[in-house]
Amino acid sequence: MKKFINTVDSLIRESLDGLVAAHGDILTLGAEHKFVRRKTLRPGKVALISGGGSGHEPLHAGFVGYGMLDAACPGQVFTSPTPDQMAAAAEATDTGAGVLYIVKNYEGDVMNFEMAAELAIGQVARVIIDDDVAVETSTYSTGRRGVAGTLVVEKVVGAAAEQGRDLAACRALGERVNQATRSLGVALTSCTVPAAGKPTFTLGESEMEFGVGIHGEPGRRRVPMIAARPLAEEMAGAIVKDLGARVNGNGLLLVNGFGGTPAIELYLMYENLRSVLERHGVKIVRSLVGNYVTSLEMAGCSATLSLLDDEVAKLWDAPVHAAALRWGM
Amino acid sequence: MKKFINTVDSLIRESLDGLVAAHGDILTLGAEHKFVRRKTLRPGKVALISGGGSGHEPLHAGFVGYGMLDAACPGQVFTSPTPDQMAAAAEATDTGAGVLYIVKNYEGDVMNFEMAAELAIGQVARVIIDDDVAVETSTYSTGRRGVAGTLVVEKVVGAAAEQGRDLAACRALGERVNQATRSLGVALTSCTVPAAGKPTFTLGESEMEFGVGIHGEPGRRRVPMIAARPLAEEMAGAIVKDLGARVNGNGLLLVNGFGGTPAIELYLMYENLRSVLERHGVKIVRSLVGNYVTSLEMAGCSATLSLLDDEVAKLWDAPVHAAALRWGM
């Protein structure tokens, strides 16, 4: 295993120190590295908190900032943060309007955020993200997995919270965006969890995992590598089939790299996915291409389609200033 | 070779189509994919043009936009664009104040930009970037190589051009920033050029290339993998030694991923490099961490230190809106 680390134990801590030092204008660290928090809180605003295992950076800490999250709780690599971390983040960000937890649908995350909610003093609500159409249950999840669509929910609800919506409205909006968002991922290589020291799985010289999860969980099937165009047909086809009759109108297309795929290939996949989706009747009016919800250094990518109404499109466009997403300011 | 492509021949074209479709608000394509251009030109502004082999994305096309480049000319992977491309880009962006070519110091690029300058009708000047301290000559270069420091020159001169400085002033500023900027890179793996179909070089299970170039060119030496802290000492040490007595005051630290290294490790390297540089007497007041000047999917990273005076810091902070760099708007 070749990685830029000092020790496996200190990896997350040193990386968070770097993140907060590089973005000291917007971020601050909680005691004992329990969470990354917005430097300046806005009294009376609903506090948005997310978190999960590390190894998916920039998700979630890279999305903490104006117009998005108030705090993110990082676990060890691919391991849920503790209820203690989440409760500490809530205490440090709740300015009276309550806390909304945005939780990817993995058993550890769901359970720990539930326990954190029980520890809370103020009002707490949650939104569970389960946008992955690949499989109905998986290694770490009952029901569908939460993957790159999480970014869309965090951005849109973040803008709504910034505009002063209350906790119930933020939760309802988060559920609505999650329902309108579908993703599917493909892996060309595995990643190596530092504590394990060896690849999570292996793929042959010309194989790919269709429907892979963001921890390297198995997908729908292991298949021979195919060209980008037929692959885009299959990926977009699975998403469109799942959304059914709702596929029309405007959409946001997020082509997300898992960490080891060059930008040149991500933009090529974007081009192929976009044309397939438009043929299916969705007009792609918003786009995002890059490494946003990763699996360490895995080669691969996911496609996320989020159906947009005017309200959600406006919230997507609203200013944001986080380490990994910034516009309008 | 597993890559998201249709054919090797159509890779660059399809990828550029995707880039321009995803960023249609700011970018447009030249005829025959010769260049990517800002959608809206500003009459009377010096036109900034860069370019080079593809495979380093987002450099350069991802830096076209308000406050940075006016056009970028993409060659095939790791192959210089043609003089014809550069001349076409100049013709399409020169609104009367002349053209500044920003050229990385590789023989093909330097020669072709020189030929393009001879074809030009208007005023043309150029800045050659040679920020890599690793080696004095290399596979494709006489003299030092141009690497991630190119981003800093493009950003700072882009802001100056936007503020209305003339061609001579933009060139002088570019040369000054290049002189104040030093980089060094390390590779943990090779990359695979699509047309070659196999890795450019091979490294052992516990080896790294210290001083690698952004095309996988050999560096200073092949050495056993070491921990991040001593590696940061060596990388920062080489940069500091090269700058000599000038090392003091404020600096910009860019920790650049080569394409296959997770963000978590880049921020860890940032943290380690920052503390070493500050011990050497530079105060890091500006930071950038991410995949900006890549070598396809190579695992590895580079450190770039750019010494900042107040003027350059202000130009760095000025608004920019490109596909891969955006703030203040």
Side-chain angles (χ1 to χ4, degrees):
Chain A
M1 175 180 73
K2 290 193 282 189
K3 289 184 184 284
F4 294 113
I5 58 174
N6 287 307
T7 68
V8 169
D9 282 351
S10 65
L11 163 58
I12 305 301
R13 187 165 43 77
E14 288 180 75
S15 183
L16 291 172
D17 285 341
L19 177 76
V20 170
H23 303 279
D25 52 333
I26 57 169
L27 299 179
T28 185
L29 259 179
E32 300 164 48
H33 295 75
K34 281 184 184 169
F35 55 84
V36 173
R37 204 201 79 179
R38 270 168 78 163
K39 199 165 180 176
T40 311
L41 297 176
R42 190 156 146 210
K45 187 186 91 66
V46 170
L48 258 55
I49 297 175
S50 192
S54 293
H56 307 301
E57 288 70 26
L59 182 87
H60 296 273
F63 302 146
V64 173
Y66 180 90
M68 216 159 165
L69 299 177
D70 292 272
C73 304
Q76 289 301 307
V77 172
F78 297 171
T79 302
S80 176
T82 60
D84 175 48
Q85 288 179 264
M86 299 158 182
E91 197 184 342
T93 55
D94 187 355
T95 59
V99 169
L100 183 65
Y101 286 135
I102 299 179
V103 186
K104 300 196 299 304
N105 189 36
Y106 298 100
E107 280 156 13
D109 291 341
V110 171
M111 186 178 73
N112 287 357
F113 272 106
E114 221 163 66
M115 288 171 67
E118 286 164 18
L119 295 173
I121 299 159
Q123 267 189 297
V124 177
R126 66 173 195 183
V127 177
I128 307 271
I129 312 301
D130 58 355
D131 56 311
D132 190 346
V133 303
V135 292
E136 295 303 320
T137 60
S138 183
T139 317
Y140 312 107
S141 74
T142 303
R144 291 181 171 192
R145 301 175 296 218
V147 291
T150 310
L151 179 159
V152 183
V153 175
E154 291 178 357
K155 170 68 186 81
V156 170
V157 180
E162 210 68 62
Q163 291 175 6
R165 292 203 209 174
D166 69 15
L167 185 58
C170 285
R171 176 175 56 183
L173 176 66
E175 281 168 358
R176 184 154 72 84
V177 174
N178 179 56
Q179 286 305 317
T181 302
R182 298 287 189 279
S183 302
L184 189 109
V186 181
L188 308 190
T189 68
S190 178
C191 55
T192 295
V193 175
K198 56 184 201 324
T200 306
F201 62 99
T202 51
L203 282 167
E205 284 285 315
S206 55
E207 274 184 333
M208 62 182 178
E209 183 73 31
F210 186 83
V212 73
I214 57 173
H215 311 91
E217 308 97 302
R220 290 191 179 183
R221 54 188 190 278
R222 195 160 289 190
V223 293
M225 185 78 199
I226 56 175
R229 184 60 187 219
L231 179 59
E233 294 275 1
E234 281 209 54
M235 292 171 76
I239 288 169
V240 161
K241 186 178 171 197
D242 199 86
L243 285 164
R246 302 171 62 198
V247 174
N248 59 56
N250 292 337
L252 158 71
L253 174 56
L254 161 58
V255 176
N256 172 59
F258 285 145
T261 289
I264 199 172
E265 294 178 43
L266 296 180
Y267 276 107
L268 184 143
M269 283 303 293
Y270 170 86
E271 179 60 14
N272 283 270
L273 286 160
R274 185 184 63 83
S275 66
V276 174
L277 288 169
E278 296 214 330
R279 207 191 59 224
H280 279 290
V282 192
K283 188 167 163 51
I284 301 303
V285 296
R286 297 292 184 279
S287 304
L288 192 65
V289 181
N291 292 320
Y292 290 103
V293 180
T294 63
S295 306
L296 296 167
E297 67 285 330
M298 184 188 281
C301 71
S302 61
T304 297
L305 173 66
S306 188
L307 300 173
L308 296 176
D309 55 33
D310 287 350
E311 181 198 11
V312 173
K314 265 183 204 151
L315 292 166
W316 176 261
D317 292 342
V320 59
H321 183 181
L325 210 66
R326 184 170 181 181
W327 54 72
M329 59 196 299
Chain B
M1 176 180 71
K2 291 193 283 189
K3 287 182 185 286
F4 294 113
I5 59 174
N6 288 306
T7 67
V8 169
D9 282 351
S10 65
L11 163 59
I12 305 300
R13 186 165 43 75
E14 289 180 73
S15 184
L16 291 172
D17 286 341
L19 177 77
V20 170
H23 303 280
D25 52 334
I26 55 168
L27 298 179
T28 184
L29 259 179
E32 300 166 48
H33 295 76
K34 280 184 185 168
F35 54 86
V36 173
R37 204 200 78 180
R38 269 168 78 163
K39 199 165 180 177
T40 311
L41 298 176
R42 191 156 145 210
K45 187 187 89 68
V46 170
L48 258 55
I49 297 176
S50 192
S54 292
H56 306 301
E57 288 70 23
L59 182 87
H60 298 275
F63 302 145
V64 173
Y66 179 90
M68 216 162 165
L69 299 177
D70 290 272
C73 304
Q76 290 300 307
V77 172
F78 296 171
T79 303
S80 177
T82 61
D84 176 48
Q85 288 179 264
M86 299 158 183
E91 197 184 344
T93 54
D94 187 354
T95 59
V99 169
L100 183 66
Y101 286 136
I102 299 179
V103 186
K104 301 195 299 304
N105 189 35
Y106 299 101
E107 281 156 12
D109 290 341
V110 171
M111 187 179 70
N112 288 356
F113 272 106
E114 221 162 65
M115 289 172 66
E118 287 164 16
L119 296 172
I121 299 160
Q123 269 189 294
V124 176
R126 66 173 196 185
V127 177
I128 308 270
I129 311 301
D130 59 353
D131 56 312
D132 190 345
V133 303
V135 291
E136 294 304 319
T137 62
S138 182
T139 317
Y140 312 108
S141 74
T142 304
R144 291 180 171 192
R145 301 174 298 217
V147 291
T150 311
L151 179 160
V152 183
V153 175
E154 291 178 357
K155 169 68 186 80
V156 170
V157 180
E162 210 68 63
Q163 292 174 6
R165 293 204 208 174
D166 69 16
L167 185 57
C170 285
R171 178 176 54 185
L173 176 66
E175 282 168 358
R176 183 154 73 85
V177 174
N178 179 56
Q179 286 304 317
T181 302
R182 296 289 189 278
S183 301
L184 189 108
V186 181
L188 307 191
T189 68
S190 178
C191 55
T192 295
V193 175
K198 57 182 196 329
T200 307
F201 62 100
T202 50
L203 281 169
E205 285 285 316
S206 55
E207 273 184 332
M208 61 180 178
E209 182 74 30
F210 186 83
V212 72
I214 57 173
H215 312 90
E217 308 98 305
R220 290 191 179 183
R221 56 188 189 276
R222 194 159 289 189
V223 292
M225 185 76 198
I226 56 175
R229 184 60 187 218
L231 178 59
E233 295 274 0
E234 282 209 52
M235 292 172 77
I239 288 169
V240 162
K241 187 179 170 195
D242 199 85
L243 285 164
R246 302 170 62 196
V247 174
N248 59 56
N250 291 337
L252 158 71
L253 174 57
L254 161 58
V255 176
N256 172 60
F258 284 144
T261 289
I264 199 172
E265 294 178 44
L266 296 180
Y267 275 108
L268 183 142
M269 283 304 292
Y270 170 85
E271 179 59 13
N272 283 270
L273 286 159
R274 185 185 63 83
S275 65
V276 174
L277 288 168
E278 297 215 329
R279 207 193 56 222
H280 280 289
V282 192
K283 188 166 162 55
I284 301 303
V285 296
R286 297 292 184 278
S287 305
L288 192 65
V289 181
N291 292 319
Y292 290 103
V293 180
T294 62
S295 305
L296 296 167
E297 67 285 332
M298 183 188 282
C301 71
S302 61
T304 297
L305 173 66
S306 189
L307 300 173
L308 297 176
D309 55 33
D310 287 351
E311 181 198 10
V312 173
K314 264 183 204 151
L315 291 166
W316 176 261
D317 292 341
V320 59
H321 183 181
L325 210 66
R326 184 170 180 180
W327 55 73
M329 60 195 299

